[in-house]
Amino acid sequence: MRIVLVMSIGHTLLGLLESGPCHGYDLKRSFDERFGRDRALAYGQVYSTMSRLLKNGLVEIDGLESGGGPERKRYAITDAGVTDVEQWLGRPETPEPYLQSTLYTKVVLALLTGRDAADILDTQRAEHLTMMRELTRRKIDGDLGDRLICDHALFHLEADLRWLELTAARLGELTLEIRK
Amino acid sequence: MTDSLLSGHDLHKTYGSTPALAGAEFTIRSGEVVAIMGPSGSGKSTLLHCLAGIVRPDSGTIRYDGRDLTAMSDGGRSALRRSDFGFVFQFGQLVPELTCLENVALPLRLNAVKRKEAEARGLEWMERLEVADLARKRPGEISGGQGQRIAVARALVIRPRVVFADEPTGALDSLNGERVMQLLIGAARSTDAAIVLVTHEARIAAYSDREIVVRDGRSRDMARAA
Amino acid sequence: MNVLRDLRMGAGFAVTGGREGWIRTLLTAIGVGLGVALLLLTTAIPGALSARDERGRDRNEQRGQAAQAGDHTLLIAHADTTYKGDEIRGRLLRAEAPKAPIPPGLAKIPLPGEMVVSPALADLLDSSRGRLLRERLPYRTVGTIGDKGLIGPDELAFYAGNDTVTTGDRWSSVLRITAFGSPFPADPMDPRLVLLVVVMFVVLLMPVAVLIATAVRFGGERRDRRLAALRLVGADARTTRWIAAGEALAGSLFGLLFGLGFFLIGRQLTGVASAFDLSIFPADLDPSVPLAVLVALAVPFAAVAVTLFALRAVVIEPLGVVRAGTPPRRRVWWRLLLPVAGMVALYPLIRQGSESGQFNRGQVVLGVVLLLLGVTAMLPWLVEAVVARLGAGRVPWQLAVRRLQLGSTSAARAVNGIAVAVAGAIALQMLFLGIENDYTKETGADTTRAQLAVSSDAQVGTEGIARIAGQIRETKGVRSVFGRSGTRIAEPGEDSGPGASLTIGTCDTLRELARIEGCADGDTFIVDPRTSNSVGGMQPAPGKNVVIDPGQGPRTSAAPTPWLIPKAARTVPGRADGSGIAPDGVLATPGAVPAAVTRQLPYSMTVALDPAVPDAIDLARNAMARVDPLAQVYTLNETRESRRFANVRTALFIGSTVVLLMIGASLLVTMLEQLRERRKLLSVLVAFGTRRSTLSWSILYQTAIPVVLGLFLAAGTGVALGAALLGMVQRPFGVDWTGLASMTGIGAGVVLLVTALSLPPLWRMMRPDGLRTE
């Protein structure tokens, strides 16, 4: 089971740099620590992102160390970079309304083909609750960060579930509508 | 299921002319947490009341620990509720004139435990539920979340084998609701008590091991539906 | 004008406030109604008693109206009797002319052998209980006596027609009258009785005031929440108060109507209820108009005042009700001030009351009111102080004590009425006991020696007495009969002086009156003056010349006869007979006195009965009625109570019982309201497996604790007040323990009753239905 964090990696790295210059490797570690959870950031992705930021003038090279290991650049955020982070944080995310849901499609198809739509809903409901149980368990055992992330997912799942319940209660009405 | 602690079979109950239960099934094992979900008016609370021996179903059988609950007298069921069952409700359950500690100790005292000992044991449970500092306060002086924790402590103080929780977080915000559920589940697990949890909130039901859905007085075991 | 608008709005709420509002208004109306009914009853009682007195006087017959038979004269003879402890007023009537007066309540004089009876007597005669009485009254019933001729609906009375009675002279027990009714005004009441009545009214009316004050606060908590909702939509604090007052006003106005209804119904019931031996005609209970108007004005005014006063300590905020902070600790000093002030007001009156002394009624009322108000002021403090110190015991006790600790005011308020009533009643009982000796006379009768005393004007002579005694003696259940006749002896001559008594009877009879060794007919004895309680008078001696002068004696007018006290007369120590009369003067056997004398004398008898024979008394009375219908037969008692005093005492018992029952009703309403509010909690407790008995006991304790404290305080105050009242009538201090016990017993009974009546609804609410939220 994965929780996919949908986020802008460029803005996140910039934001992490704002607390002080640091090396690419440290940036990756710090990102993984806070937001990695299920999937660590690939090292290559850090470098490609940093070079894009460098090109856009949002970061600058603060120092260069060589010898021992790989080349180590120290990055620092520029004023333009700080402005960019500020703008990103201040901009609301567009709510995603999921207007075309697979579940809805399944229910309609079941009704059209004369299958038991209630069964489909209940099966889905059980599946949702199973995942919610899993998340709840992780939430109980995890730290505050885990809890916030799990709750985010739980609330979304709960919203689905409430939709499932509501739809179950409206199946009769829906059948009439569809078979008109 | 052979190892079930409490089970109900083909339960029917009608209030006036409104059928509340029409053939409901239920079973729970020791230490298990089972959620009863369903729309309002579907009969979930009635199912809980029947299972707890508060209400006698019109027909059907309820077995608890090898005994037939439906055949027991009112007094016998009361005694059973005193000794084996714990209860948490949505609200209005603490005796307003007793202190919180006295409220928690009340079930023990109804079981003829001496006041000193009852209150000592009550205080232990209040500590476990992190509300020991409210011992001398009265229910009117504490918040809703604190009140529910007191109620949980009171439900668990007799170390019941089954805890019946009817919308225990219904009157609480998410944060307090979650906290109360964690404490309830944690404490019940530690004593191997089973929990019958009536709720309409999926997030609360997610604390259970299993759920059944009641619709129009009929139950549906979702573990089997999946 | 705003106030009027708010009042009207509140009144509107009282009527249109949905089911809950209606119930509240109804409860208030019932409570106020009961109070009003009691007030009306109280204002009507003096009128009722005087109406009763008046009818009693109107049917009295007055001696000395006519000496000779005329065309308006009626002969009337007393034939009162007692049957199974109930007194029966009997009169024999013989019209001497067609225009003879007719007694009130009768259409005409019954013919000989016929009688007209009161409805109560008719019922008694028809019942199996009246079997023996039918033998005693061998007349045909031809009608009933109208209400005009009776003092109460339960009075037993008859008028029988007769053609044999004759009147001998002006002292005869048979009277010749030309009209019924007494021309004299009624005796004024003794100031001590006035004191009793005044205190009684105060004592009965104060709990009624408490009751009304409690009634207008029924359901106050719920109303406060409703007022909070009004504040939310913009009413200010002052407005809400007046709205509340308007609600109370409406409730009290309904209460007035209810009260009138209760009163009219209750009035009918008084006609039937004879449980207290005081029967009053419904029509006599007619409240005096000014007092009724006063009640009609005072009650709504009080309702508004009480509501505003009660809301003084309550702040109704838009989001809820706040009791003004933590209520200030109840202070005791000003509460103590009231009873102290009461004692100060009563103190100067102590030792004032004498037989003729009058009391300053205003001062008495003020003192008593202050003392009793002291109870109402002390009780909340006392309940709070004591309850705060009570420990938690068993679960029911703990529940009750904690509940009282959280709010004892409403409980104390409800109990106040009981406490005041009991305190007052205890004080009155003490006063009764203190002056009882004045009104209850020691008769000196020795009821082990005789149970009946007979006295008759019939002049039957020695043989007649022996015959009558013999006939009575043969009656079943009679052990012994001693008959005798008595008259006076005096110095011969014009100025005869005080004289002494002469008692004539057989040796057996005389032995009842003196310690006599040997006795035969013809013997005469002189009672040793040291053993008689007569003071002064003539001292008889053997061989002394005297006249036997029945004119000096009772009820005859025979001529004096000279008599020589035999020289052989012995002096013997006297002793009182069974009826308690100690002889003096001369005791003579019939042979020692000229027979012509004995034939002119009335006689008396004492009768001893066999206690093992049931109805022996009534059998003996029947026998006596057969032999000599005009003889008066008394049941011998060791004490005799003044009739009027007994009525006052009866009224007190009725009053305090009614008041306590009404307060019990208000306690019950409060308790039921509390239970209804806790329906949900009760269901939860049931879920926990709480036993019925646990909650039942808790309710008992919850009612009992304040009541016990109230009774305790009431006993203290009552004894103090009683002591003051006794001081006022100059009687020694003494606690009437039976009165104390009976009043506290009634109080405790009310607690039990309230608890018992609360249990069925409690059990109903303990059904799990209350848990249902769906």
Side-chain angles (χ1 to χ4, degrees):
Chain A
M1 190 191 74
R2 295 257 136 94
I3 299 174
V4 183
L5 283 173
V6 185
M7 62 171 73
S8 161
I9 292 175
H11 284 117
T12 313
L13 293 177
L14 260 183
L16 288 173
L17 265 184
E18 214 183 316
S19 53
C22 68
H23 295 102
Y25 181 74
D26 295 334
L27 262 182
K28 172 194 151 46
R29 266 212 345 238
S30 141
F31 181 97
D32 286 351
E33 217 170 81
R34 289 195 167 77
F35 309 110
R37 307 286 150 188
D38 296 320
R39 186 173 50 171
L41 200 55
Y43 200 59
Q45 204 180 350
V46 177
Y47 278 92
S48 64
T49 308
M50 291 320 288
S51 45
R52 184 167 50 85
L53 295 176
L54 203 58
K55 200 162 67 203
N56 292 343
L58 299 176
V59 296
E60 56 191 11
I61 304 293
D62 189 48
L64 207 106
E65 287 170 32
S66 53
E71 181 205 28
R72 303 188 68 178
K73 281 180 186 154
R74 236 161 71 108
Y75 300 97
I77 193 165
T78 63
D79 286 351
V82 173
T83 314
D84 194 54
V85 171
E86 213 167 83
Q87 279 173 353
W88 179 62
L89 287 178
R91 194 169 56 234
E93 298 292 316
T94 313
E96 292 177 62
Y98 302 108
L99 275 180
Q100 275 301 322
S101 139
T102 324
L103 276 173
Y104 174 71
T105 316
K106 279 187 173 176
V107 168
V108 172
L109 278 175
L111 290 176
L112 282 174
T113 56
R115 290 188 172 86
D116 191 349
D119 255 5
I120 293 178
L121 289 171
D122 273 355
T123 310
Q124 189 58 48
R125 183 196 162 94
E127 192 60 29
H128 262 67
L129 255 167
T130 308
M131 173 166 293
M132 287 179 77
R133 283 203 185 91
E134 172 64 27
L135 286 168
T136 304
R137 251 192 299 283
R138 283 178 58 180
K139 180 171 77 174
I140 293 173
D141 300 335
D143 59 17
L144 184 58
D146 286 323
R147 267 184 251 163
L148 289 177
I149 288 164
C150 289
D151 274 338
H152 185 258
L154 278 166
F155 277 115
H156 276 97
L157 290 171
E158 188 185 27
D160 283 349
L161 220 120
R162 286 166 73 172
W163 179 83
L164 288 171
E165 270 172 13
L166 195 66
T167 310
R170 283 177 168 175
L171 272 182
E173 208 182 324
L174 190 62
T175 311
L176 290 179
E177 189 111 321
I178 284 172
R179 291 186 179 159
K180 238 192 282 194
Chain B
M1 219 175 284
T2 50
D3 56 345
S4 79
L5 175 66
L6 173 67
S7 66
H9 173 60
D10 196 25
L11 299 176
H12 289 260
K13 176 77 194 177
T14 304
Y15 287 115
S17 58
T18 336
L21 290 180
E25 303 282 330
F26 183 89
T27 180
I28 191 169
R29 274 169 290 150
S30 226
E32 198 182 17
V33 180
V34 176
I36 302 178
M37 297 192 71
S40 4
S42 62
K44 43 187 198 298
S45 286
T46 305
L47 178 57
L48 178 136
H49 295 157
C50 286
L51 291 170
I54 299 171
V55 171
R56 200 195 286 268
D58 298 336
S59 69
T61 50
I62 297 166
R63 299 196 71 77
Y64 166 73
D65 202 19
R67 276 176 280 178
D68 184 359
L69 228 63
T70 42
M72 285 168 77
S73 69
D74 185 61
R77 283 181 284 134
S78 290
L80 185 67
R81 292 200 300 273
R82 278 201 297 278
S83 59
D84 284 36
F85 295 167
F87 293 89
V88 184
F89 296 97
Q90 184 171 357
F91 41 50
Q93 46 178 327
L94 297 180
V95 184
E97 53 265 15
L98 295 185
T99 65
C100 289
L101 179 57
E102 285 165 344
N103 264 293
V104 173
L106 188 62
L108 285 175
R109 305 212 50 210
L110 291 175
N111 276 317
V113 175
K114 289 256 178 303
R115 190 163 68 93
K116 268 214 166 115
E117 198 202 328
E119 290 188 356
R121 272 155 71 180
L123 199 59
E124 275 171 40
W125 276 99
M126 290 182 80
E127 273 159 17
R128 290 181 67 165
L129 289 157
E130 301 159 6
V131 283
D133 51 327
L134 304 177
R136 300 275 153 237
K137 288 227 169 20
R138 287 184 206 272
E141 303 167 313
I142 63 175
S143 73
Q146 289 170 329
Q148 285 306 89
R149 291 190 205 188
I150 303 285
V152 170
R154 184 175 66 170
L156 291 166
V157 74
I158 58 161
R159 292 189 160 263
R161 296 186 63 195
V162 187
V163 175
F164 293 90
D166 191 353
E167 300 282 9
T169 63
L172 302 181
D173 60 42
S174 307
L175 189 61
N176 271 306
E178 300 271 344
R179 189 73 196 126
V180 164
M181 277 313 296
Q182 282 176 26
L183 289 166
L184 171 62
I185 299 286
R189 293 246 192 264
S190 73
T191 59
D192 203 31
I195 299 181
V196 179
L197 172 68
V198 166
T199 181
H200 68 278
E201 286 178 278
R203 276 181 310 108
I204 299 304
Y207 281 90
S208 66
D209 301 321
R210 199 157 55 78
E211 48 151 359
I212 67 161
V213 174
V214 180
R215 285 194 193 110
D216 301 325
R218 296 172 181 282
S219 60
R220 190 179 164 99
D221 191 330
M222 298 315 283
R224 287 177 199 160
Chain C
M1 283 302 103
N2 276 343
V3 166
L4 277 184
R5 193 199 58 204
D6 297 340
L7 279 175
R8 210 165 40 232
M9 193 164 168
F13 279 126
V15 189
T16 61
R19 188 164 163 267
E20 195 179 288
W22 256 115
I23 290 179
R24 200 183 109 69
T25 309
L26 192 68
L27 289 182
T28 305
I30 291 175
V32 171
L34 290 174
V36 167
L38 207 57
L39 284 176
L40 289 177
L41 193 67
T42 319
T43 61
I45 281 176
L49 291 179
S50 80
R52 197 182 145 94
D53 271 4
E54 203 169 304
R55 273 201 309 270
R57 288 216 314 282
D58 283 350
R59 68 178 187 188
N60 266 354
E61 52 280 333
Q62 207 64 39
R63 184 177 291 276
Q65 291 178 7
Q68 302 297 324
D71 55 357
H72 284 100
T73 57
L74 172 76
L75 290 182
I76 183 164
H78 287 223
D80 293 348
T81 183
T82 302
Y83 182 67
K84 290 190 192 291
D86 291 329
E87 286 175 27
I88 300 170
R89 182 181 195 266
R91 294 289 183 272
L92 303 183
L93 304 177
R94 180 182 182 186
E96 292 183 310
K99 283 188 190 162
I102 298 168
L106 263 63
K108 62 185 190 62
I109 308 280
L111 299 173
E114 292 180 345
M115 69 174 168
V116 179
V117 298
S118 70
L121 182 59
D123 290 346
L124 178 61
L125 286 171
D126 285 343
S127 70
S128 59
R129 192 171 171 267
R131 186 178 54 86
L132 285 173
L133 185 61
R134 284 195 292 276
E135 290 174 22
R136 194 179 311 168
L137 305 178
Y139 313 106
R140 200 158 54 82
T141 303
V142 295
T144 50
I145 305 174
D147 289 356
K148 244 179 18 169
L150 299 171
I151 54 169
D154 295 328
E155 189 183 24
L156 301 171
F158 70 91
Y159 289 100
N162 184 294
D163 54 2
T164 55
V165 292
T166 48
T167 176
D169 50 60
R170 66 190 179 98
W171 293 120
S172 162
S173 70
V174 180
L175 307 183
R176 175 173 286 126
I177 60 169
T178 55
F180 283 92
S182 157
F184 303 113
D187 298 344
M189 265 183 135
D190 187 307
R192 285 166 299 175
L193 279 180
V194 172
L195 175 67
L196 271 176
V197 171
V198 166
V199 173
M200 219 166 82
F201 272 61
V202 173
V203 160
L204 292 183
L205 290 185
M206 288 238 355
V208 172
V210 175
L211 177 74
I212 290 179
T214 314
V216 298
R217 293 202 252 190
F218 281 157
E221 284 168 24
R222 221 178 288 191
R223 180 213 48 211
D224 291 353
R225 285 201 290 278
R226 191 144 35 87
L227 292 179
L230 279 180
R231 294 241 24 212
L232 197 58
V233 296
D236 64 20
R238 217 180 58 90
T239 305
T240 52
R241 258 167 231 193
W242 281 104
I243 289 177
E247 271 186 63
L249 185 64
S252 68
L253 289 177
F254 281 116
L256 282 179
L257 289 179
F258 273 57
L260 191 64
F262 290 154
F263 173 72
L264 292 176
I265 296 169
R267 189 162 85 150
Q268 293 306 318
L269 293 181
T270 22
V272 183
S274 56
F276 289 99
D277 197 27
L278 177 74
S279 75
I280 294 176
F281 282 113
D284 285 351
L285 277 176
D286 205 7
S288 79
V289 174
L291 286 177
V293 169
L294 187 69
V295 168
L297 291 178
V299 167
F301 178 79
V304 170
V306 164
T307 309
L308 292 179
F309 184 77
L311 283 178
R312 179 192 48 126
V314 180
V315 182
I316 299 172
E317 292 291 349
L319 291 178
V321 181
V322 188
R323 310 269 150 200
T326 27
R329 249 190 78 74
R330 296 186 196 283
R331 289 182 196 289
V332 70
W333 65 266
W334 71 265
R335 292 164 197 278
L336 268 174
L337 218 58
L338 286 170
V340 169
M343 283 315 262
V344 167
L346 292 181
Y347 187 76
L349 301 176
I350 291 176
R351 309 249 156 252
Q352 291 269 307
S354 61
E355 299 286 332
S356 58
Q358 292 290 324
F359 293 97
N360 181 342
R361 287 182 205 179
Q363 204 172 344
V364 172
V365 170
L366 180 75
V368 174
V369 166
L370 282 176
L371 253 182
L372 295 182
L373 270 184
V375 174
T376 67
M378 289 291 292
L379 194 58
W381 173 83
L382 183 73
V383 171
E384 190 183 85
V386 171
V387 158
R389 281 167 185 74
L390 286 179
R394 289 172 53 236
V395 175
W397 175 262
Q398 184 183 37
L399 285 171
V401 166
R402 289 284 187 260
R403 168 113 200 128
L404 290 172
Q405 281 172 350
L406 210 59
S408 57
T409 323
S410 65
R413 204 158 53 213
V415 170
N416 255 334
I418 291 188
V420 169
V422 169
I426 287 174
L428 283 178
Q429 300 276 10
M430 276 174 69
L431 189 54
F432 276 135
L433 185 79
I435 58 180
E436 200 159 37
N437 293 339
D438 300 6
Y439 292 89
T440 312
K441 302 219 161 52
E442 292 279 346
T443 57
D446 181 353
T447 51
T448 58
R449 285 169 64 198
Q451 287 79 42
L452 286 176
V454 177
S455 95
S456 172
D457 290 343
Q459 297 158 10
V460 292
T462 309
E463 307 77 31
I465 295 175
R467 194 189 68 241
I468 291 172
Q471 279 171 332
I472 302 301
R473 206 177 283 121
E474 277 161 20
T475 309
K476 189 179 166 218
V478 173
R479 269 189 177 157
S480 62
V481 180
F482 297 106
R484 66 184 192 242
S485 47
T487 185
R488 302 288 292 175
I489 46 174
E491 305 274 357
E494 280 299 303
D495 187 15
S496 56
S501 0
L502 168 64
T503 305
I504 304 157
T506 61
C507 284
D508 286 343
T509 300
L510 296 188
R511 278 197 196 93
E512 284 287 300
L513 298 171
R515 295 178 203 290
I516 297 170
E517 302 281 318
C519 171
D521 194 19
D523 284 357
T524 305
F525 305 94
I526 294 171
V527 176
D528 186 341
R530 288 167 300 184
T531 61
S532 99
N533 51 15
S534 69
V535 179
M538 182 189 79
Q539 182 49 50
K544 186 175 166 80
N545 267 313
V546 294
V547 290
I548 298 175
D549 184 7
Q552 269 206 344
R555 296 183 290 230
T556 62
S557 51
T561 310
W563 185 52
L564 173 77
I565 300 177
K567 290 204 168 64
R570 278 171 280 154
T571 296
V572 290
R575 66 170 185 154
D577 71 349
S579 64
I581 297 170
D584 67 321
V586 179
L587 306 177
T589 50
V593 185
V597 169
T598 55
R599 269 196 295 278
Q600 288 180 344
L601 296 178
Y603 70 92
S604 64
M605 294 194 299
T606 56
V607 182
L609 300 169
D610 181 353
V613 176
D615 294 327
I617 279 196
D618 285 302
L619 289 169
R621 279 178 178 278
N622 278 6
M624 202 56 228
R626 220 168 27 242
V627 178
D628 183 357
L630 291 185
Q632 297 179 53
V633 184
Y634 309 97
T635 306
L636 292 176
N637 285 313
E638 274 150 21
T639 57
R640 194 161 52 225
E641 217 171 341
S642 149
R643 191 73 192 149
R644 187 177 297 187
F645 173 70
N647 279 352
V648 174
R649 191 186 188 124
T650 305
L652 175 75
F653 265 111
I654 300 176
S656 37
T657 308
V658 168
V659 165
L660 285 175
L661 281 179
M662 287 194 175
I663 289 161
S666 89
L667 264 177
L668 183 65
V669 168
T670 314
M671 179 59 83
L672 292 185
E673 186 171 88
Q674 202 185 82
L675 284 177
R676 219 175 19 248
E677 270 173 18
R678 296 161 73 90
R679 181 175 227 129
K680 173 106 187 156
L681 182 65
L682 288 172
S683 306
V684 171
L685 288 172
V686 172
F688 272 97
T690 311
R691 291 180 187 87
R692 272 182 178 190
S693 61
T694 305
L695 292 182
S696 310
W697 276 108
S698 159
I699 283 191
L700 176 66
Y701 290 141
Q702 198 184 318
T703 318
I705 292 172
V707 171
V708 166
L709 289 175
L711 291 180
F712 184 72
L713 186 62
T717 314
V719 169
L721 180 57
L725 295 176
L726 283 176
M728 287 160 68
V729 296
Q730 292 172 311
R731 286 295 172 281
F733 175 83
V735 179
D736 175 14
W737 292 111
T738 43
L740 197 89
S742 69
M743 288 322 295
T744 49
I746 295 178
V750 166
V751 172
L752 288 178
L753 195 67
V754 167
T755 309
L757 290 177
S758 309
L759 291 184
L762 169 72
W763 291 341
R764 207 161 46 242
M765 281 181 222
M766 281 182 77
R767 287 191 204 140
D769 304 23
L771 277 177
R772 289 176 65 203
T773 45
E774 291 175 343

